[in-house]
Amino acid sequence: MLSCKGLPVLTLGIETSCDETAVALLENGREVLADVVLTQVDVHQRFGGVVPEIASRNHLQQLWPCLDTALHKAQKTLAEVGLFAVTAGPGLQGALLVGVLAAKTLARTFGRPCIGVNHLEGHLLAIALAEECPQPPFLSLVVSGGHTHMFAVQALGRYAKVASTRDDAAGEAFDKVARLLGLPYPGGVAIDLLAQKGNPQAFRFPRALPGKSLYDFSFSGLKTAVAHTLAKGGIPSGQGLWDLCASFQEAVADVLTKKCVAAAQQLGFGALALGGGVAANSRLRALAAERAAAAGLQLYLPKPSLCTDNAAMIALAGYEAHMRGERSPLALDARPTWHLEDSLGA
């Protein structure tokens, strides 16, 4: 169960899978004492996306200051930590290694256990840090810059993949379209802001794989459709740009919500949860709420700060794995292509 109370353990979580350096301290499995995130957005903006080598080097520079800030904010010491949890995958190889080696070193130094956490499980369980959270079984949509998946959450540690993207992830499509429009990275934030002023019906962009019995996603064709539109008429400005952003965003939100609501109904789930960076998108949240209510589904949305990469969700996933009796060996290594369904108990 996604219980509201846990055993008295202070968990330190570390997240370095991509371009966010994050450290969090979680007490008794649910109380977030500190959740510090140092972003690298400014570093990668001029490249229009994340450069893996630069991300790794910045994690090396930022991790220890981030750790010190989290400990100071929580008024705790490393000696008080009972469990170290770290993102072991999926993600960028070099970036993951920074966090994994740091967590293993701390765990060995203080004689504490260390748990390697799947990044997707962190996003999936982030909803448990909200005031209201679902109880298994439920359907979860994890949608971010690198991942777009639906999982059936049968129990903690038992996840079955229902669907995934066949090409671009939704967040990746946002970033690529933003780049076409000359908008800054990360594209999802920029497009969401402009779309709020636009007409989502102004451009007729395609919805890939529309069948209700097929839950998989595809966004590369949508990105191509935007590119063709720009090739014909150029990059619009003012209201035209707002309308294009709103129409593109509507196409993404329409497909995501339609498919996950249909999947929840057809598979017999009464609850639907969202997670991942794209789950912070304003139109996706509004449309999900509208369609879930119409279908009689209970919808659970984490607050935006828990949608983006953070260490609180990693600490939580590590704590729950520890409570299930899972342990990671000293040989724990980065797993950049780690599939959640490969996890223990899946």
Side-chain angles (χ1 to χ4, degrees):
M1 296 176 63
L2 295 182
S3 57
C4 295
K5 296 181 180 179
L7 297 178
V9 175
L10 180 64
T11 305
L12 188 147
I14 296 175
E15 157 61 27
T16 63
S17 65
C18 191
D19 61 341
E20 311 287 351
T21 308
V23 176
L25 286 146
L26 189 68
E27 194 162 59
N28 305 336
R30 290 298 181 274
E31 184 181 356
V32 180
L33 302 182
D35 186 15
V36 178
V37 180
L38 298 182
T39 182
Q40 298 180 19
V41 167
D42 292 344
V43 177
H44 298 281
Q45 253 180 357
R46 63 192 178 106
F47 302 104
V50 178
V51 180
E53 178 63 23
I54 294 176
S56 302
R57 291 179 181 275
N58 274 273
H59 286 309
L60 283 170
Q61 296 172 357
Q62 293 185 165
L63 181 55
W64 298 112
C66 192
L67 175 64
D68 288 341
T69 301
L71 290 168
H72 178 75
K73 184 175 181 179
Q75 297 186 324
K76 298 290 183 180
T77 66
L78 285 171
E80 296 176 87
V81 174
L83 173 68
F84 293 91
V86 60
T87 302
L92 303 175
Q93 174 84 29
L96 290 167
L97 280 172
V98 173
V100 168
L101 291 175
K104 287 169 60 176
T105 300
L106 291 170
R108 187 63 180 261
T109 300
F110 291 93
R112 300 290 190 267
C114 177
I115 294 286
V117 172
N118 186 295
H119 183 77
L120 292 179
E121 184 175 17
H123 279 307
L124 192 153
L125 296 185
I127 191 61
L129 295 172
E131 292 184 4
E132 295 185 0
C133 60
Q135 302 298 325
F138 63 91
L139 187 70
S140 178
L141 173 67
V142 177
V143 54
S144 66
H147 309 282
T148 300
H149 303 284
M150 272 193 285
F151 291 103
V153 181
Q154 299 156 343
L156 291 185
R158 291 182 58 219
Y159 315 110
K161 187 174 74 173
V162 174
S164 62
T165 181
R166 295 187 174 186
D167 39 62
D168 292 349
E172 184 181 2
F174 270 103
D175 287 338
K176 288 181 177 179
V177 168
R179 194 176 303 126
L180 291 173
L181 294 171
L183 299 176
Y185 171 85
V189 176
I191 288 176
D192 194 3
L193 288 173
L194 295 174
Q196 293 176 31
K197 305 176 184 178
N199 174 9
Q201 308 304 323
F203 292 84
R204 296 179 61 84
F205 289 132
R207 274 65 163 163
L209 309 177
K212 290 185 177 181
S213 61
L214 182 64
Y215 306 136
D216 280 353
F217 305 99
S218 173
F219 295 104
S220 64
L222 173 59
K223 173 203 65 182
T224 301
V226 174
H228 286 328
T229 298
L230 297 178
K232 291 178 182 178
I235 300 176
S237 60
Q239 188 65 50
L241 178 60
W242 304 339
D243 289 347
L244 191 147
C245 287
S247 299
F248 165 75
Q249 179 173 270
E250 187 71 15
V252 175
D254 182 30
V255 169
L256 288 172
T257 56
K258 187 174 293 182
K259 283 181 175 286
C260 65
V261 167
Q265 288 181 301
Q266 293 177 18
L267 296 175
F269 292 102
L272 171 66
L274 270 58
V278 180
N281 179 271
S282 63
R283 182 54 183 156
L284 177 61
R285 294 170 79 91
L287 193 55
E290 176 186 321
R291 287 181 167 167
L297 297 173
Q298 185 68 43
L299 178 67
Y300 295 89
L301 295 169
K303 60 183 181 180
S305 62
L306 289 173
C307 293
T308 53
D309 290 352
N310 64 88
M313 67 182 190
I314 301 305
L316 170 60
Y319 171 87
E320 291 294 344
H322 183 71
M323 293 297 105
R324 297 195 298 269
E326 296 180 25
R327 301 291 184 270
S328 293
L330 288 175
L332 174 68
D333 200 359
R335 300 176 61 182
T337 59
W338 185 10
H339 298 292
L340 182 56
E341 55 269 30
D342 294 337
S343 301
L344 179 66

